[in-house]
Amino acid sequence: MYKYPASVSFDEETGTWEIEFRDFETLPSVALSEEDIELEATEGLTAAIGDNINSRRLIPLPSQIAEGEIVVYLPLLTCLKAALSNSLINTSTRKAELARKMNINGPQLDRLLDVSHASKVETLEQALYLLGYEVSVVITAI
């Protein structure tokens, strides 16, 4: 799964917590309270991944976690959408070509890549399979 490192710092001037991801060149996320850091970090990271998908840029694999950083976990659907986007780029497959293979139309494929759309896991798994990738899920205790 995609687990990204983030650094968190308190900005005395604004009274907010700033969250930065070294794997993404985006504006930092901001949390208004310490309790909201995890939620805001996940939302900011999801938005950054959505931007990469929309711009057809590879989504970087997570860097190693360094001391003092927090770990930000992505929802399963976001991980699958990131993997699908990277797979399209890595295999030089056009979205229209994959849509034809899946017997769906363009807007349906666009929704598969939309991080805010609740796609079916099975459909994402099928798309990845057609691109030569197998999906596996690992459950571990934390």
Side-chain angles (χ1 to χ4, degrees):
M1 288 299 167
Y2 293 84
K3 301 182 291 190
Y4 286 90
S7 60
V8 179
S9 60
F10 185 74
D11 183 352
E12 302 257 346
E13 189 174 306
T14 62
T16 59
W17 296 88
E18 291 187 355
I19 308 158
E20 295 183 0
F21 301 93
R22 61 184 147 92
D23 293 319
F24 292 89
E25 296 175 5
T26 60
L27 294 174
S29 295
V30 176
L32 299 177
S33 69
E34 196 169 2
E35 295 81 25
D36 292 339
I37 291 172
E38 186 176 331
L39 174 66
E40 295 298 335
T42 300
E43 287 181 1
L45 183 55
T46 300
I49 286 174
D51 288 344
N52 276 29
I53 291 172
N54 293 337
S55 300
R56 200 159 165 83
R57 289 188 311 261
L58 278 173
I59 295 154
L61 293 176
S63 299
Q64 291 288 0
I65 309 299
E67 189 175 329
E69 290 181 319
I70 64 168
V71 178
V72 181
Y73 296 88
L74 285 173
L76 177 62
L77 280 179
T78 304
C79 294
L80 289 170
K81 289 170 186 268
L84 178 57
S85 178
N86 280 354
S87 298
L88 284 166
I89 295 168
N90 289 333
T91 61
S92 300
T93 303
R94 293 185 9 238
K95 291 193 296 185
E97 182 182 339
L98 179 59
R100 274 192 301 280
K101 286 181 179 180
M102 295 182 69
N103 197 28
I104 62 175
N105 61 36
Q108 287 174 300
L109 188 66
D110 288 337
R111 285 192 294 275
L112 271 184
L113 292 164
D114 181 351
V115 295
S116 62
H117 186 274
S119 303
K120 290 185 176 181
V121 171
E122 298 86 354
T123 308
L124 287 159
E125 182 180 20
Q126 177 192 21
L128 286 160
Y129 178 80
L130 290 171
L131 293 171
Y133 294 86
E134 181 181 37
V135 173
S136 65
V137 178
V138 177
I139 310 296
T140 57
I142 53 173

